[in-house]
Amino acid sequence: MIKINKNFQKLPGSYLFAEINRRVNKYQTEHPDAKIIRMGIGDVTLPLPPASIEAMHRAVDEMSASKTLRGYGPEQGYAFLRELIVRHDFAPYGVELDPSEVFVSDGAKSDTANIVDLFSNDVKIAVTDPVYPVYVDSNALAGRAGEYLPEGKWSNLVYLACNRENGFVPALPSEPVDLIYLCYPNNPTGTTLTRDQLRVFVDYARANEALILFDAAYEAFVTEPEVPHSIYEIEGARECAIEFRSYSKTAGFTGVRCGYTVVPKSLPVDLNGMWSRRQTTKFNGASYISQAGVAAIYTAEGKTQVKANIDYYMENARVIREALAKAGVEHFGGVSSPYIWLKTPDAYPASWDYFNYLLTEKQIVGTPGVGFGLEGEGYFRLSAFSTHEATREAMERLAQ
């Protein structure tokens, strides 16, 4: 008899973004002429940087000849890319890493989900609320989250509220925990932590033998000088934190897939060796072509092209913020992040109701805040990853 993982049956409904797609596709089918502006799922609209395209073309050409063909690559990533990561992503901020602490993958989402393989099922986990759903769902599937309660929380998780009352700065856990998920710049709220605010968590983790799982997928959008680009800028973080990075938004690799995870060798437990063992067992490595494309963004021309794309999206964020401010809508984020977190109108206190209103009346797609947790109810996330034209049109529709 086939026995299934019953934890799948505990998950509520469908995955948030799958549900959004389902509702949008249904509406589009019923209204084929509707011009829908998508500002929900954080997918990019600009092409890949030309430097990456050229490098990937060269990599494909290499695959056409026996002498230059690349077969299975190192599961941890090619040395040429890992060395570039250390030199360009961390050294400028005074962070010393060894390339052997960097593991290239097919994206931060996969890594933040798969990292749970390293830990015992009885670890106590803290997550912010609202939170990126993958952190919660991956632990629920592993059986660590407990039972899904009627009020919309998991019985075994510790929730760190992030709301306007605390300035979206989570309080430290009120009970002992082993793992703490942090994502800054934050998805979904678009808010940030300063070095001093992040230091509080590093000091807590070191004092309580906890591990921080730090998702820095939106690091490239940081513009505020007091906001760190890496948790390793904080003294002691190499002894208590794993950091995840993504090229999806940085270089537009959502359809190519590439990212990396930093697992320091200075952690109290040899998680570096364990993650290496896990990856060599379950992962064949990111493709050579994608890694060649990523390597090109570290060239002078590649950096210029990436910055231009990020500036493009952040101009969209500015347009959204100014439009919401003019309309008197309370909002957060969008300064060092491509996400804007807005308060839903009084007429739509339930964020899914506001989603339905925007879709059916304005043909605008966003993300209901409650999909990220109970603290997200009454809020709504807009993404700045659309085109300038679509962003301006969406704001005009909202103003009407």
Side-chain angles (χ1 to χ4, degrees):
M1 184 177 72
I2 298 175
K3 296 183 178 181
I4 64 170
N5 178 355
K6 294 184 178 180
N7 292 311
F8 273 85
Q9 298 172 328
K10 297 179 181 179
L11 292 177
S14 60
Y15 182 62
L16 171 62
F17 298 109
E19 176 61 19
I20 290 174
N21 274 335
R22 186 192 69 77
R23 295 193 186 202
V24 173
N25 291 337
K26 181 176 183 294
Y27 180 81
Q28 187 77 82
T29 300
E30 296 170 350
H31 304 83
D33 296 329
K35 183 182 177 183
I36 296 176
I37 299 177
R38 297 174 183 262
M39 305 176 74
I41 296 176
D43 202 357
V44 296
T45 52
L46 294 177
L48 271 64
S52 292
I53 294 294
E54 293 168 8
M56 294 168 76
H57 277 303
R58 290 194 297 270
V60 170
D61 289 340
E62 290 180 49
M63 295 295 193
S64 68
S66 297
K67 288 184 178 180
T68 53
L69 172 70
R70 303 265 187 157
Y72 288 122
E75 290 89 349
Q76 300 90 340
Y78 285 96
F80 67 79
L81 180 53
R82 299 163 86 189
E83 291 166 1
L84 287 171
I85 288 169
V86 169
R87 189 184 318 144
H88 293 276
D89 287 353
F90 294 95
Y93 303 105
V95 177
E96 295 184 5
L97 291 177
D98 188 272
S100 63
E101 297 176 304
V102 176
F103 296 81
V104 180
S105 70
D106 60 356
K109 180 178 181 180
S110 301
D111 285 355
T112 54
N114 292 331
I115 200 73
V116 301
D117 285 357
L118 306 189
F119 307 111
S120 167
N121 266 15
D122 60 359
V123 293
K124 197 69 173 179
I125 298 167
V127 297
T128 58
D129 182 5
V131 65
Y132 185 45
V134 173
Y135 312 155
V136 172
D137 288 0
S138 57
N139 280 290
L141 292 174
R144 297 188 185 91
E147 301 299 323
Y148 191 68
L149 304 175
E151 61 266 31
K153 290 189 175 184
W154 291 89
S155 61
N156 285 353
L157 297 184
V158 175
Y159 290 88
L160 311 177
C162 295
N163 49 47
R164 60 174 299 190
E165 286 70 28
N166 60 20
F168 296 94
V169 178
L172 293 172
S174 58
E175 59 184 280
V177 299
D178 304 296
L179 302 178
I180 305 171
Y181 283 87
L182 295 177
C183 174
Y184 288 95
N186 185 254
N187 180 14
T189 66
T191 57
T192 56
L193 293 183
T194 65
R195 286 179 180 80
D196 288 342
Q197 290 167 336
L198 187 54
R199 185 176 292 111
V200 171
F201 278 90
V202 171
D203 291 344
Y204 171 90
R206 296 181 70 192
N208 293 274
E209 298 183 337
L211 179 71
I212 298 173
L213 301 176
F214 191 76
D215 188 345
Y218 301 94
E219 166 276 334
F221 294 85
V222 171
T223 58
E224 300 161 286
E226 67 273 17
V227 175
H229 288 259
S230 167
I231 194 172
Y232 301 126
E233 293 181 48
I234 311 302
E235 183 180 359
R238 282 178 48 86
E239 285 76 53
C240 66
I242 291 175
E243 182 166 306
F244 306 89
R245 294 281 190 101
S246 169
Y247 294 109
S248 289
K249 312 307 191 301
T250 303
F253 271 49
T254 54
V256 178
R257 309 306 305 146
C258 199
Y260 65 87
T261 293
V262 178
V263 187
K265 293 183 176 179
S266 48
L267 294 170
V269 180
D270 183 22
L271 295 178
N272 180 283
M274 291 174 62
W275 184 242
S276 179
R277 184 68 173 85
R278 189 266 174 208
Q279 294 297 80
T280 54
T281 300
K282 291 189 173 184
F283 184 57
N284 268 347
S287 76
Y288 169 66
I289 296 170
S290 64
Q291 292 187 65
V294 166
I297 73 170
Y298 293 109
T299 63
E301 59 181 2
K303 288 183 178 181
T304 299
Q305 293 161 4
V306 166
K307 184 179 185 305
N309 283 5
I310 290 174
D311 288 347
Y312 182 97
Y313 294 132
M314 291 311 294
E315 171 62 14
N316 285 344
R318 183 193 66 79
V319 169
I320 296 170
R321 287 188 290 107
E322 291 187 357
L324 294 175
K326 186 176 180 179
V329 177
E330 187 177 24
H331 61 282
F332 307 89
V335 177
S336 285
S337 164
Y339 295 124
I340 294 86
W341 190 244
L342 63 97
K343 192 78 177 68
T344 59
D346 291 341
Y348 299 96
S351 53
W352 273 114
D353 289 344
Y354 190 55
F355 172 91
N356 291 332
Y357 163 75
L358 287 183
L359 175 61
T360 59
E361 299 298 325
K362 304 291 185 178
Q363 288 75 55
I364 297 171
V365 177
T367 310
V370 73
F372 299 99
L374 292 184
E375 290 288 340
E377 186 62 289
Y379 288 90
F380 203 77
R381 193 192 77 174
L382 292 178
S383 154
F385 288 114
S386 192
T387 64
H388 283 343
E389 296 74 19
T391 300
R392 293 191 186 98
E393 182 175 345
M395 293 304 99
E396 290 172 2
R397 292 183 189 179
L398 281 178
Q400 295 169 2

